[in-house]
PDB file of all heavy atoms in Angstrom:
ATOM      1  N   ASP A  24     113.102 102.622  71.091  1.00  0.00           N
ATOM      2  CA  ASP A  24     112.628 101.241  70.713  1.00  0.00           C
ATOM      3  C   ASP A  24     113.154 100.854  69.342  1.00  0.00           C
ATOM      4  O   ASP A  24     112.517 100.017  68.687  1.00  0.00           O
ATOM      5  CB  ASP A  24     111.119 101.207  70.778  1.00  0.00           C
ATOM      6  CG  ASP A  24     110.431 102.260  69.914  1.00  0.00           C
ATOM      7  OD1 ASP A  24     111.084 102.797  69.016  1.00  0.00           O
ATOM      8  OD2 ASP A  24     109.208 102.472  70.051  1.00  0.00           O
ATOM      9  N   ASP A  25     114.326 101.348  68.969  1.00  0.00           N
ATOM     10  CA  ASP A  25     114.872 101.009  67.648  1.00  0.00           C
ATOM     11  C   ASP A  25     115.398  99.607  67.568  1.00  0.00           C
ATOM     12  O   ASP A  25     115.611  99.061  66.477  1.00  0.00           O
ATOM     13  CB  ASP A  25     116.008 101.999  67.284  1.00  0.00           C
ATOM     14  CG  ASP A  25     115.457 103.341  66.963  1.00  0.00           C
ATOM     15  OD1 ASP A  25     114.262 103.466  66.784  1.00  0.00           O
ATOM     16  OD2 ASP A  25     116.259 104.272  66.907  1.00  0.00           O
ATOM     17  N   LEU A  26     115.719  99.021  68.739  1.00  0.00           N
ATOM     18  CA  LEU A  26     116.388  97.698  68.696  1.00  0.00           C
ATOM     19  C   LEU A  26     115.425  96.540  68.937  1.00  0.00           C
ATOM     20  O   LEU A  26     115.801  95.449  69.250  1.00  0.00           O
ATOM     21  CB  LEU A  26     117.532  97.706  69.719  1.00  0.00           C
ATOM     22  CG  LEU A  26     118.628  98.809  69.439  1.00  0.00           C
ATOM     23  CD1 LEU A  26     119.708  98.756  70.493  1.00  0.00           C
ATOM     24  CD2 LEU A  26     119.215  98.594  68.034  1.00  0.00           C
ATOM     25  N   THR A  27     114.142  96.872  68.771  1.00  0.00           N
ATOM     26  CA  THR A  27     113.161  95.794  68.808  1.00  0.00           C
ATOM     27  C   THR A  27     113.185  95.075  67.460  1.00  0.00           C
ATOM     28  O   THR A  27     113.673  95.623  66.471  1.00  0.00           O
ATOM     29  CB  THR A  27     111.753  96.338  69.086  1.00  0.00           C
ATOM     30  OG1 THR A  27     110.844  95.284  69.217  1.00  0.00           O
ATOM     31  CG2 THR A  27     111.279  97.301  68.044  1.00  0.00           C
ATOM     32  N   SER A  28     112.661  93.852  67.408  1.00  0.00           N
ATOM     33  CA  SER A  28     112.666  93.110  66.156  1.00  0.00           C
ATOM     34  C   SER A  28     111.293  93.048  65.553  1.00  0.00           C
ATOM     35  O   SER A  28     111.079  92.337  64.551  1.00  0.00           O
ATOM     36  CB  SER A  28     113.223  91.684  66.407  1.00  0.00           C
ATOM     37  OG  SER A  28     112.481  91.087  67.444  1.00  0.00           O
ATOM     38  N   ILE A  29     110.372  93.800  66.072  1.00  0.00           N
ATOM     39  CA  ILE A  29     109.022  93.731  65.593  1.00  0.00           C
ATOM     40  C   ILE A  29     108.546  95.148  65.293  1.00  0.00           C
ATOM     41  O   ILE A  29     108.819  96.036  66.070  1.00  0.00           O
ATOM     42  CB  ILE A  29     108.116  92.966  66.639  1.00  0.00           C
ATOM     43  CG1 ILE A  29     106.866  92.453  66.045  1.00  0.00           C
ATOM     44  CG2 ILE A  29     107.829  93.840  67.829  1.00  0.00           C
ATOM     45  CD1 ILE A  29     106.212  91.370  66.939  1.00  0.00           C
ATOM     46  N   GLU A  30     107.955  95.356  64.135  1.00  0.00           N
ATOM     47  CA  GLU A  30     107.761  96.741  63.704  1.00  0.00           C
ATOM     48  C   GLU A  30     106.565  97.442  64.253  1.00  0.00           C
ATOM     49  O   GLU A  30     106.525  98.678  64.332  1.00  0.00           O
ATOM     50  CB  GLU A  30     107.765  96.811  62.167  1.00  0.00           C
ATOM     51  CG  GLU A  30     109.183  97.102  61.650  1.00  0.00           C
ATOM     52  CD  GLU A  30     109.301  97.213  60.176  1.00  0.00           C
ATOM     53  OE1 GLU A  30     108.231  97.447  59.524  1.00  0.00           O
ATOM     54  OE2 GLU A  30     110.413  96.987  59.659  1.00  0.00           O
ATOM     55  N   SER A  31     105.545  96.689  64.633  1.00  0.00           N
ATOM     56  CA  SER A  31     104.262  97.347  64.984  1.00  0.00           C
ATOM     57  C   SER A  31     104.221  97.873  66.418  1.00  0.00           C
ATOM     58  O   SER A  31     103.183  98.207  66.905  1.00  0.00           O
ATOM     59  CB  SER A  31     103.129  96.334  64.764  1.00  0.00           C
ATOM     60  OG  SER A  31     103.392  95.218  65.540  1.00  0.00           O
ATOM     61  N   THR A  32     105.389  97.903  67.090  1.00  0.00           N
ATOM     62  CA  THR A  32     105.383  98.279  68.517  1.00  0.00           C
ATOM     63  C   THR A  32     105.795  99.773  68.652  1.00  0.00           C
ATOM     64  O   THR A  32     106.354 100.360  67.730  1.00  0.00           O
ATOM     65  CB  THR A  32     106.378  97.436  69.316  1.00  0.00           C
ATOM     66  OG1 THR A  32     107.653  97.542  68.684  1.00  0.00           O
ATOM     67  CG2 THR A  32     105.930  95.972  69.355  1.00  0.00           C
ATOM     68  N   ASN A  33     105.533 100.346  69.810  1.00  0.00           N
ATOM     69  CA  ASN A  33     105.988 101.734  70.027  1.00  0.00           C
ATOM     70  C   ASN A  33     106.300 101.968  71.523  1.00  0.00           C
ATOM     71  O   ASN A  33     105.833 102.903  72.127  1.00  0.00           O
ATOM     72  CB  ASN A  33     104.934 102.743  69.568  1.00  0.00           C
ATOM     73  CG  ASN A  33     103.680 102.723  70.410  1.00  0.00           C
ATOM     74  OD1 ASN A  33     103.390 101.771  71.100  1.00  0.00           O
ATOM     75  ND2 ASN A  33     102.909 103.830  70.350  1.00  0.00           N
ATOM     76  N   SER A  34     107.168 101.084  72.055  1.00  0.00           N
ATOM     77  CA  SER A  34     107.476 101.172  73.520  1.00  0.00           C
ATOM     78  C   SER A  34     108.164 102.509  73.850  1.00  0.00           C
ATOM     79  O   SER A  34     108.200 102.894  75.022  1.00  0.00           O
ATOM     80  CB  SER A  34     108.300  99.987  73.987  1.00  0.00           C
ATOM     81  OG  SER A  34     109.550  99.941  73.318  1.00  0.00           O
ATOM     82  N   SER A  35     108.729 103.202  72.837  1.00  0.00           N
ATOM     83  CA  SER A  35     109.330 104.520  73.139  1.00  0.00           C
ATOM     84  C   SER A  35     108.302 105.507  73.702  1.00  0.00           C
ATOM     85  O   SER A  35     108.654 106.476  74.337  1.00  0.00           O
ATOM     86  CB  SER A  35     110.012 105.073  71.891  1.00  0.00           C
ATOM     87  OG  SER A  35     109.038 105.283  70.885  1.00  0.00           O
ATOM     88  N   LYS A  36     107.002 105.245  73.416  1.00  0.00           N
ATOM     89  CA  LYS A  36     105.969 106.127  73.904  1.00  0.00           C
ATOM     90  C   LYS A  36     105.519 105.810  75.310  1.00  0.00           C
ATOM     91  O   LYS A  36     104.748 106.563  75.909  1.00  0.00           O
ATOM     92  CB  LYS A  36     104.745 106.050  72.973  1.00  0.00           C
ATOM     93  CG  LYS A  36     105.041 106.481  71.517  1.00  0.00           C
ATOM     94  CD  LYS A  36     105.066 108.000  71.376  1.00  0.00           C
ATOM     95  CE  LYS A  36     105.233 108.440  69.916  1.00  0.00           C
ATOM     96  NZ  LYS A  36     106.643 108.633  69.518  1.00  0.00           N
TER      97      LYS A  36
END
Side-chain angles (χ1 to χ4, degrees):
D24 57 15
D25 289 346
L26 300 179
T27 183
S28 55
I29 200 162
E30 266 180 24
S31 57
T32 55
N33 69 341
S34 62
S35 61
K36 300 279 185 269

